[in-house]
């Protein structure tokens, strides 16, 4: 469910999610818009080091980060 919602958010922001789970054709505005939407939907905050678009993001990395932040928030 988390993975599907994250894919939906990226696609709503115009990001192509490949079958391998890579995020393609993503500019900085799409990236930030997607991250803000994910933070709002899941009521989390991404660590600052995650916010560099230069990193090679995959859906699995984003899901792992969201899951980790949810676990921290729920103690």
């Amino acid at each position: 469910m988390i993975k599907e919602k994250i894919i939906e958010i990226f696609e709503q922001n115009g990001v192509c999610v490949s079958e391998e789970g890579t995020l393609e054709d993503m500019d900085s505005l799409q990236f930030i818009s997607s991250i803000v939407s994910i933070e709002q939907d899941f009521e989390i905050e991404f660590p600052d080091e995650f916010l560099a678009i230069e990193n090679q993001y995959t859906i699995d990395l984003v899901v792992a980060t969201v899951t980790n932040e949810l676990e921290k928030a729920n103690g």
Side-chain angles (χ1 to χ4, degrees):
M1 178 169 156
I2 290 174
K3 184 174 185 173
E4 291 79 11
K5 181 63 179 171
I6 291 172
I7 291 172
E8 179 183 320
I9 289 169
F10 275 109
E11 289 177 342
Q12 286 172 347
N13 284 288
V15 177
C16 178
V17 180
S18 73
E19 288 185 24
E20 295 82 28
T22 58
L23 305 174
E24 301 176 351
D25 301 322
M26 180 172 59
D27 64 27
S28 59
L29 183 58
Q30 291 168 315
F31 174 71
I32 293 299
S33 295
S34 298
I35 294 300
V36 168
S37 294
I38 292 168
E39 287 180 332
Q40 290 172 343
D41 280 14
F42 290 99
E43 299 179 352
I44 62 164
E45 187 172 320
F46 281 92
D48 290 342
E49 61 269 12
F50 191 86
L51 303 179
I53 192 170
E54 298 82 24
N55 295 338
Q56 294 295 318
Y57 294 102
T58 64
I59 286 297
D60 290 338
L61 176 60
V62 177
V63 168
T65 304
V66 169
T67 302
N68 186 46
E69 293 303 311
L70 287 170
E71 288 173 357
K72 280 197 245 178
N74 293 325

